[in-house]
Amino acid sequence: MAVGWYLYTTAIASVGGQPRLNVVSAELSSSTRQLRLRVVNPGPVDVQIIEAEIAGQIISLSCNTAAVVRVGGNSTCTGSIPAGITLTPGTMLTGRVIVSGGQSFLFNAAVRP
């Protein structure tokens, strides 16, 4: 019984403070060269968004929540796409959102005209 309890509490402690972030939509506009992300934080801790990366290029983001997404909250973030990234309408590009703890969360962004 004691071993089971130890394993349970150790497992809970190891994931209890890990940030999570769900990217619920991601779009790239080829005409405005903008990335638009909508993210949701399911918890268990607040998450501070630092930047995004697409095709190896870092993209600064501006979020409507000042980059901190509270537990249970959502945010819309936008950023300008560098000229070196080709945006072909109808394709998808893979990227990742990077948060303050260094964790990253993958997304697939549809390229729109």
Side-chain angles (χ1 to χ4, degrees):
M1 178 78 168
V3 172
W5 182 252
Y6 170 77
L7 293 173
Y8 171 76
T9 57
T10 301
I12 294 300
S14 70
V15 297
Q18 294 294 320
R20 293 189 183 105
L21 195 66
N22 297 332
V23 180
V24 294
S25 69
E27 288 186 359
L28 291 160
S29 170
S30 61
S31 59
T32 63
R33 300 200 57 81
Q34 290 288 309
L35 168 66
R36 184 173 187 265
L37 300 172
R38 184 160 184 280
V39 297
V40 174
N41 179 1
V45 296
D46 293 345
V47 175
Q48 181 178 8
I49 296 173
I50 301 298
E51 58 199 7
E53 179 183 347
I54 293 180
Q57 303 265 345
I58 298 298
I59 298 164
S60 296
L61 295 175
S62 174
C63 301
N64 67 342
T65 58
V68 175
V69 185
R70 304 279 180 217
V71 172
N74 64 69
S75 184
T76 300
C77 302
T78 58
S80 296
I81 304 300
I85 298 176
T86 303
L87 299 177
T88 306
T91 62
M92 294 188 84
L93 293 177
T94 300
R96 63 188 183 125
V97 176
I98 303 165
V99 299
S100 61
Q103 299 88 347
S104 61
F105 301 90
L106 297 176
F107 63 85
N108 290 313
V111 180
R112 307 281 184 224

